Amino acid sequence: MALIVVPEPPFEAWLTALDQQMARSAGFFIDRPIVVNLAAMAGTDDDPAQILAALEARDLRIIGVEGVEMAALRGTPWFGATLAASGREGKQDKFIDIPEAAEPSPPEPPPPEPARRPSLLITRPVRSGQSIVFEEGDVTIIGPVSSGAEIIAGGSIHIYGTLRGRAVAGLLGGAEARIFCTKLAAELLAIDGLYRTADHWGHGLHGKPVQVWLDDKELRLAALE
Amino acid sequence: MSKVLVVTSGKGGVGKTTSSAALGAALAQAGKNVVVVDFDVGLRNLDLIMGAERRVVFDLVNVVQGDAKLAQALIRDKRVETLSLLPASQTRDKDALTPEGVERVINELREKFDWIVCDSPAGIERGATLAMRHADMAVVVTNPEVSSVRDSDRIIGLLDSKTAKAEAGETVDKHLLLTRYDAGRAARGEMLKVEDVLEILAIPLLGIIPDSEDVLKASNVGSPVTLHNPMSAPARAYAEAARRLLGETVAVTMPVEKKSLMSRLFGRSVA
């Protein structure tokens, strides 16, 4: 799924806000295909080619441009990458096939994956009020996670002990992440932004070894027995 | 080698001050040189429980700020010769304590005493963190109910991260003292059971103090329960806990439900 980025005038201020956003959540744009909608910039003095160059300089993976006349991009790498010449609601004819259109500007190859996924191992109890945050990968806990404690991981969470606090897995778009614990008594479980509190799963799984995963935008729990 | 022991809990009203006085007195009765230090600046109570409220002239804040010498502020107990009290100030607040001043006082106390028992205020703020700062050991006082257990868990986390020992890469020895335990109510599910608390907190058990009116009676006459009525159930439990602190192996006595003769006779037929 592509993200649509819509620059707004004044462009300099918008670009500053974008930089701040990227600094806050580094990695949000990594490997995400981007479609740039320039409709809001129509009628300003900013050159579409310069806007696109500014975005590309920030390592955004632009696969298409919309909301601008293709002629305005003549002579730039994005010539031919326009999706709909006159904006998103335009019903004109110049639809261009995305895969072909993306050909003239082959995306930069993504940085090579690190050979080993980083993981964090904790071999003592995680006490109430403590927060373990590890955005880079999986977290393994040997010991209990107390009520009022939280584990936040970019990847999966494995708890060899009772989970009484919160477990938040797949922090940065990790829909594949899972949560495992040997005894479920959790206050809150979340994967990829979708969370459920203890009311959701009721008493049936309480105290059981459980795994939690995301199944088409639905948080699912099952006993590991 | 002197030991600094902090008596802490997070939650208020669980029995920190009572336990500090009772354990301090029991250690002193075992022949150790003991000082009990009240860190609850602004809400001092330890002097009342120890029956020394009319003898306070200088206090911890005066010594920390250099206005009085340590010897001027220490109050020797009239019942046990080896027991002393360093009272808190009632007119100041916790901001009057400085980390450097507290460290200096603790180091001076280490030269004079075998055991320095620090009675921590409730909470996790400055007063509580300064009380635990230089501890070698901690007694975590917990009541068998969920909010007390969770607060104790939080305090254990702080003992593992905010103390001088933790920052030096060592660990503070932590012991659980379960107070206000009522075997009958635990059996009926109105209180957490000992096993439940131990499972959650995962630290060794120092002792179980039964819920008893002897504790309140002793407090009201200004005497640690171990001195006031040594044969009472809570006094014996505190004395056993003190022996465990001294390194003896003593089996933990489980409080049993007290049943009157009538309920024993008729308990069945009613059900």
Side-chain angles (χ1 to χ4, degrees):
Chain A
M1 199 167 63
L3 270 179
I4 297 178
V5 174
V6 188
E8 293 164 2
F11 183 62
E12 286 302 322
W14 181 86
L15 208 55
T16 310
L18 177 73
D19 286 338
Q20 286 166 354
Q21 178 70 35
M22 290 177 78
R24 273 200 298 276
S25 50
F28 178 75
F29 286 109
I30 288 178
D31 289 345
R32 291 231 179 160
I34 305 285
V35 172
V36 184
N37 185 325
L38 293 173
M41 299 299 291
T44 65
D45 291 340
D46 294 292
D47 179 11
Q50 282 180 4
I51 293 172
L52 293 169
L55 293 177
E56 187 134 275
R58 284 162 178 76
D59 285 336
L60 297 194
R61 212 181 115 199
I62 300 169
I63 62 156
V65 184
E66 61 181 12
V68 65
E69 287 289 339
M70 201 204 289
L73 297 176
R74 190 176 298 279
T76 72
W78 297 281
F79 181 63
T82 46
L83 299 178
S86 59
R88 297 165 75 182
E89 65 285 335
K91 288 181 186 161
Q92 296 191 6
D93 47 350
K94 295 175 191 161
F95 277 96
I96 290 167
D97 199 15
I98 299 174
E100 275 189 29
E103 287 287 319
S105 60
E108 300 254 324
E113 286 261 316
R116 205 169 53 83
R117 272 179 78 105
S119 70
L120 178 69
L121 176 68
I122 294 192
T123 55
R124 52 180 174 74
V126 183
R127 303 287 182 181
S128 184
Q130 290 179 336
S131 181
I132 307 288
V133 182
F134 187 67
E135 294 179 19
E136 292 80 8
D138 294 3
V139 176
T140 306
I141 313 270
I142 300 173
V145 176
S146 294
S147 164
E150 60 185 12
I151 312 294
I152 298 173
S156 296
I157 296 174
H158 310 259
I159 297 164
Y160 297 92
T162 309
L163 169 58
R164 297 188 182 87
R166 300 174 161 204
V168 178
L171 190 61
L172 301 169
E176 300 297 308
R178 293 190 178 206
I179 299 169
F180 306 86
C181 64
T182 48
K183 199 171 170 191
L184 179 75
E187 292 163 347
L188 180 144
L189 298 167
I191 298 176
D192 193 17
L194 195 72
Y195 69 89
R196 289 280 183 248
T197 55
D199 291 339
H200 175 72
W201 57 82
H203 291 293
L205 292 168
H206 190 90
K208 297 222 163 68
V210 162
Q211 71 158 320
V212 189
W213 72 99
L214 208 53
D215 180 14
D216 193 25
K217 310 226 167 186
E218 182 67 34
L219 205 64
R220 297 206 181 276
L221 289 87
L224 286 168
E225 283 174 319
Chain B
M1 183 62 199
S2 62
K3 288 260 185 195
V4 178
L5 172 79
V6 62
V7 178
T8 185
S9 70
K11 193 170 161 60
V14 296
K16 283 182 297 298
T17 301
T18 304
S19 297
S20 299
L23 287 174
L27 288 167
Q29 282 174 300
K32 302 291 174 188
N33 247 324
V34 181
V35 60
V36 191
V37 186
D38 192 350
F39 270 87
D40 204 346
V41 177
L43 290 170
R44 79 170 193 222
N45 280 330
L46 191 59
D47 54 330
L48 286 172
I49 306 286
M50 306 265 290
E53 71 274 17
R54 289 169 210 283
R55 301 170 61 201
V56 176
V57 181
F58 295 105
D59 56 49
L60 177 64
V61 171
N62 296 138
V63 182
V64 163
Q65 297 189 337
D67 298 333
K69 289 201 171 66
L70 184 60
Q72 291 176 292
L74 285 171
I75 300 171
R76 179 168 292 181
D77 192 89
K78 286 184 171 165
R79 295 150 296 204
V80 187
E81 199 176 298
T82 54
L83 180 62
S84 295
L85 166 71
L86 182 54
S89 167
Q90 181 71 352
T91 52
R92 310 294 290 272
D93 62 33
K94 271 104 183 156
D95 294 334
L97 296 178
T98 60
E100 304 77 30
V102 169
E103 184 174 6
R104 184 173 51 78
V105 172
I106 294 282
N107 286 338
E108 272 187 62
L109 289 170
R110 275 185 193 272
E111 287 168 17
K112 288 179 187 250
F113 294 96
D114 302 320
W115 286 84
I116 298 136
V117 179
C118 303
D119 179 26
S120 170
I124 54 171
E125 289 80 23
R126 189 184 177 88
T129 47
L130 280 176
M132 70 169 65
R133 179 80 196 147
H134 302 283
D136 304 308
M137 300 171 89
V139 168
V140 180
V141 182
T142 306
N143 288 170
E145 47 102 12
V146 285
S147 59
S148 173
V149 171
R150 189 203 263 177
D151 290 359
S152 293
D153 197 55
R154 179 91 166 94
I155 280 290
I156 296 170
L158 294 180
L159 286 166
D160 285 338
S161 60
K162 292 281 170 71
T163 52
K165 274 210 151 189
E167 284 169 12
E170 299 170 55
T171 50
V172 176
D173 285 335
K174 299 167 291 285
H175 301 273
L176 174 67
L177 189 67
L178 201 58
T179 54
R180 300 229 167 117
Y181 188 79
D182 183 324
R185 294 185 62 195
R188 289 193 296 276
E190 296 166 15
M191 270 185 179
L192 291 178
K193 292 194 175 67
V194 178
E195 309 85 78
D196 298 339
V197 180
L198 281 174
E199 202 220 322
I200 294 173
L201 294 181
I203 57 172
L205 181 64
L206 184 69
I208 304 168
I209 313 299
D211 193 22
S212 163
E213 60 185 27
D214 291 314
V215 176
L216 190 64
K217 278 185 201 160
S219 295
N220 285 337
V221 299
S223 173
V225 67
T226 35
L227 298 181
H228 182 249
N229 185 359
M231 291 319 290
S232 64
R236 280 180 307 185
Y238 275 121
E240 284 178 9
R243 284 167 64 196
R244 286 183 205 105
L245 280 178
L246 290 168
E248 283 184 53
T249 310
V250 187
V252 174
T253 315
M254 280 295 292
V256 285
E257 192 174 355
K258 270 190 225 151
K259 278 191 176 170
S260 68
L261 179 65
M262 294 302 274
S263 71
R264 262 186 244 176
L265 284 175
F266 300 115
R268 272 167 182 276
S269 58
V270 173

